[in-house]
């Protein structure tokens, strides 16, 4: 019996070997050619004793100003505090939490942002940023908004006002945010779900995505 058990274990390891090797495959060429885009597919060993590996799509991270994909994948806009780069990069944390959802994550935090760009409509790169955000917000199926303690995020407050009645916003506004009282009252008025932390927001996004998938399958 022990010999049979060892043999079965060895066979399972052999079946899983292609998936383990594939996990070391670099990201797609398109993502490598554009640093604002990250997209990978991670093969997993098949379950229920099947020897054939299956491919699970990974979420694609799209940073401004890269084009917003026009396909039918569910899209999540990562709205909230940036404060000219002064707020912690919570978008990266949330992107990691949602990496296995197979969605498009729209991140307005630009890696090449230049604080010398003037916040006026005549500034080409500033206009490009604002128009990208407006487009991404419109195309998003879910707007995950995190208003970090100690930040002000005036643009996020503007975006909250624009989309408060859309039914797409999931909001985390912990104690310590600059205008938490205003945010709480607006959220209550428009029925926006609120959460106390970034992990709770991530879980809420997962649940909303599951609801949207079920609705699409009907």
């Amino acid at each position: 019996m022990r010999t049979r058990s060892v043999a079965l274990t060895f066979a399972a390891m052999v079946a899983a070997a292609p998936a383990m090797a594939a996990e070391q495959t670099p990201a797609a060429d398109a993502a490598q050619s554009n640093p604002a885009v990250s997209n990978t597919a991670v093969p997993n060993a098949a379950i229920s004793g099947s020897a054939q590996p299956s491919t699970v799509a990974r979420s694609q991270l799209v940073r401004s100003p890269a084009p917003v994909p026009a396909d039918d994948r569910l899209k999540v806009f990562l709205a909230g505090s940036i404060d000219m780069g002064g707020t912690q990069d919570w978008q990266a944390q949330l992107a990691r939490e949602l990496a296995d959802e197979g969605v498009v994550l729209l991140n307005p935090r630009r890696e090449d942002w230049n604080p010398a760009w003037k916040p006026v409509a005549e500034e080409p790169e500033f206009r490009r940023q604002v128009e990208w955000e407006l487009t991404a917000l419109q195309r998003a199926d879910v707007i995950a908004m995190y208003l970090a303690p100690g930040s002000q995020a005036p643009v996020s407050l503007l975006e909250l006002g624009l989309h408060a009645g859309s039914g797409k916003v999931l909001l985390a506004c912990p104690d310590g945010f600059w205008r938490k009282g205003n945010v709480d009252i607006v959220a209550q008025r428009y029925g926006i779900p609120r959460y106390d932390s970034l992990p709770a927001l991530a879980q809420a996004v997962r649940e909303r995505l599951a609801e949207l998938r079920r609705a699409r399958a009907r």
Side-chain angles (χ1 to χ4, degrees):
M1 291 295 292
R2 180 174 179 81
T3 301
R4 175 180 171 81
S5 176
V6 171
L8 290 173
T9 300
F10 180 76
M13 292 173 63
V14 171
M20 295 171 63
E23 287 181 352
Q24 307 304 318
T25 302
D29 292 342
Q32 291 178 341
S33 64
N34 187 347
V37 179
S38 175
N39 184 25
T40 58
V42 178
N44 291 330
I47 59 174
S48 301
S50 172
Q52 296 297 322
S54 61
T55 300
V56 177
R58 301 285 287 179
S59 293
Q60 179 184 8
L61 180 64
V62 178
R63 287 180 177 270
S64 172
V68 177
D71 55 49
D72 64 353
R73 284 175 296 171
L74 292 172
K75 297 173 179 62
V76 180
F77 186 90
L78 308 181
S81 304
I82 296 178
D83 283 9
M84 301 296 289
T87 303
Q88 67 169 4
D89 190 0
W90 61 268
Q91 288 95 341
Q93 180 180 343
L94 189 54
R96 288 191 295 270
E97 292 286 340
L98 302 174
D100 61 348
E101 286 289 334
V103 298
V104 178
L105 301 171
L106 302 171
N107 187 355
R109 187 186 287 257
R110 282 180 66 166
E111 294 181 318
D112 64 345
W113 182 258
N114 186 346
W117 293 335
K118 296 180 180 179
V120 295
E122 294 75 22
E123 172 65 63
E125 286 300 326
F126 179 77
R127 174 180 286 277
R128 187 183 187 193
Q129 175 70 19
V130 173
E131 291 185 345
W132 185 93
E133 293 187 25
L134 291 172
T135 298
L137 283 160
Q138 285 181 329
R139 294 187 184 176
D141 299 283
V142 180
I143 299 173
M145 181 171 288
Y146 180 69
L147 301 174
S151 68
Q152 294 190 352
V155 174
S156 298
L157 294 179
L158 172 62
E159 293 170 348
L160 176 61
L162 284 172
H163 295 276
S166 69
K168 300 193 296 186
V169 180
L170 300 175
L171 173 67
C173 183
D175 290 338
F177 178 69
W178 179 51
R179 290 290 186 181
K180 178 174 171 57
N182 294 76
V183 171
D184 286 343
I185 293 170
V186 169
Q188 186 176 20
R189 169 67 65 93
Y190 289 94
I192 299 172
R194 287 173 287 165
Y195 307 93
D196 295 330
S197 66
L198 190 59
L201 177 62
Q203 180 59 34
V205 173
R206 284 183 176 276
E207 293 172 359
R208 175 63 63 83
L209 291 172
E211 291 173 1
L212 291 172
R213 291 190 185 100
R214 286 194 294 269
R216 285 186 171 188
R218 290 175 189 153

